[in-house]
């Protein structure tokens, strides 16, 4: 190879490295344009309380103390915790109370928690408590056995009205999401929940998260039945 050929060869190699030809390099990982990407938050077992149950568990007229704000505007984790007791006296302690106070008390646990408690608990959207499980709640000032208070929360996505319109999804629609993780999966029957104030997030419980390798801050992609 003479000197001119060598220079040309080197120049070509350098140019190839500076301007890789399309298809000649590994494409960057990332969502395709227009992909409907949703951040994930993992819901650990928790309880929403109504005032009558707060009165029994923590004392008459008791008010919850905010520990920290949650992602959705107005929602917070309280300093207060309760103990859940199932049949045969199996229990889960330090279950976080989430505020604000609700009209009806609702306990949300995972399937694994239900097995620990020895309970049969249905998978339900929030608020659908008919024929849900009965639990005994224990607080520092008292306890109460509450029929139809306990569910395994369904997979759901909170989305604002504006974003829902842009993505062509509607309230209560069911979609599927694709999980890219070390345990890839498609999760079905994910409920869309639309409100003006909702910030975009998918809520799943600890069983779902651990099964498919998702953690808080992971993302999924809505596939909408593709
Ligand atoms: Zn939620």
């Amino acid at each position: 190879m003479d000197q001119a050929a060598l220079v040309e060869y080197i120049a070509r190699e350098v140019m190839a490295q500076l301007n890789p030809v399309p298809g000649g390099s590994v494409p960057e990982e990332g969502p395709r344009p227009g992909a409907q990407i949703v951040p994930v938050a993992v819901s650990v077992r928790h309880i929403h309380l109504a005032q009558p149950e707060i009165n029994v568990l923590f004392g008459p007229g008791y008010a919850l103390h905010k520990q920290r704000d949650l992602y959705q505007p107005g929602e917070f984790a309280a300093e207060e915790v309760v103990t859940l007791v199932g049949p045969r006296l199996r229990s889960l302690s330090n279950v976080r109370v989430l505020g604000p106070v609700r009209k009806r008390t609702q306990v949300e646990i995972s399937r694994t928690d239900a097995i620990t408690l020895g309970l049969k608990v249905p998978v339900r959207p929030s608020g659908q408590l008919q024929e849900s499980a009965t639990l005994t709640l224990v607080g520092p000032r008292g306890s109460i056995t509450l029929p139809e208070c306990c569910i395994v929360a369904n997979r759901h996505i909170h989305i604002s009205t504006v974003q829902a319109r842009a993505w062509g999804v509607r309230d209560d629609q069911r979609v599927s999401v694709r999980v890219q993780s070390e345990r890839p999966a498609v999760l079905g029957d994910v409920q869309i929940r639309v409100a003006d104030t909702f910030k975009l997030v998918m809520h799943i419980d600890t069983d779902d998260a651990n099964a498919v390798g998702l953690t808080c801050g992971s993302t999924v992609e809505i596939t909408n039945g593709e």
Side-chain angles (χ1 to χ4, degrees):
M1 192 181 287
D2 65 18
Q3 194 175 0
L6 184 62
V7 167
E8 193 196 328
Y9 171 76
I10 291 170
R12 237 187 296 125
E13 285 297 295
V14 169
M15 290 307 290
Q17 284 182 30
L18 291 176
N19 303 304
V21 285
S25 62
V26 178
E28 270 187 34
E29 288 272 337
R32 59 186 170 76
Q36 299 177 347
I37 303 297
V38 181
V40 170
V42 181
S43 296
V44 180
R45 72 181 78 96
H46 61 273
I47 180 168
H48 304 277
L49 285 172
Q51 193 61 45
E53 279 75 62
I54 293 177
N55 295 341
V56 172
L57 300 171
F58 296 96
Y62 188 90
L64 298 176
H65 298 85
K66 185 189 289 188
Q67 183 190 61
R68 64 183 175 86
D69 285 310
L70 297 179
Y71 187 61
Q72 294 300 337
E75 305 266 307
F76 64 92
E79 291 175 5
E80 288 76 13
V81 293
V82 300
T83 296
L84 311 178
V85 184
R88 289 172 282 161
L89 292 181
R90 297 201 214 160
S91 66
L92 288 167
S93 55
N94 289 314
V95 175
R96 184 67 52 189
V97 177
L98 299 190
V101 176
R102 291 217 179 160
K103 284 208 171 71
R104 189 161 174 195
T105 289
Q106 175 172 298
V107 182
E108 299 177 37
I109 63 175
S110 70
R111 176 74 69 224
T112 301
D113 293 335
I115 292 167
T116 301
L117 290 169
L119 276 178
K120 243 186 112 177
V121 183
V123 176
R124 291 284 176 75
S126 181
Q128 293 189 13
L129 293 170
Q130 65 281 6
E131 292 174 43
S132 64
T134 298
L135 262 186
T136 299
L137 315 175
V138 182
R141 294 285 297 277
S143 68
I144 185 171
T145 298
L146 210 57
E148 300 191 325
C149 72
C150 182
I151 60 171
V152 174
N154 70 344
R155 303 160 178 159
H156 60 275
I157 291 172
H158 295 269
I159 186 170
S160 72
T161 310
V162 170
Q163 185 74 69
R165 197 172 300 132
W167 282 2
V169 294
R170 54 185 161 67
D171 190 48
D172 208 37
Q173 184 181 344
R174 299 300 196 277
V175 300
S176 295
V177 300
R178 183 177 292 118
V179 177
Q180 304 281 19
S181 67
E182 58 181 355
R183 308 177 89 179
V186 173
L187 300 179
D189 204 19
V190 181
Q191 182 194 22
I192 296 287
R193 291 170 57 180
V194 181
D196 289 347
T197 56
F198 277 162
K199 289 161 82 172
L200 184 66
V201 70
M202 174 168 169
H203 281 158
I204 53 173
D205 69 15
T206 45
D207 280 355
D208 265 348
N210 293 336
V212 301
L214 288 173
T215 57
C216 278
S218 303
T219 57
V220 296
E221 178 183 354
I222 295 178
T223 62
N224 241 340
E226 275 170 34

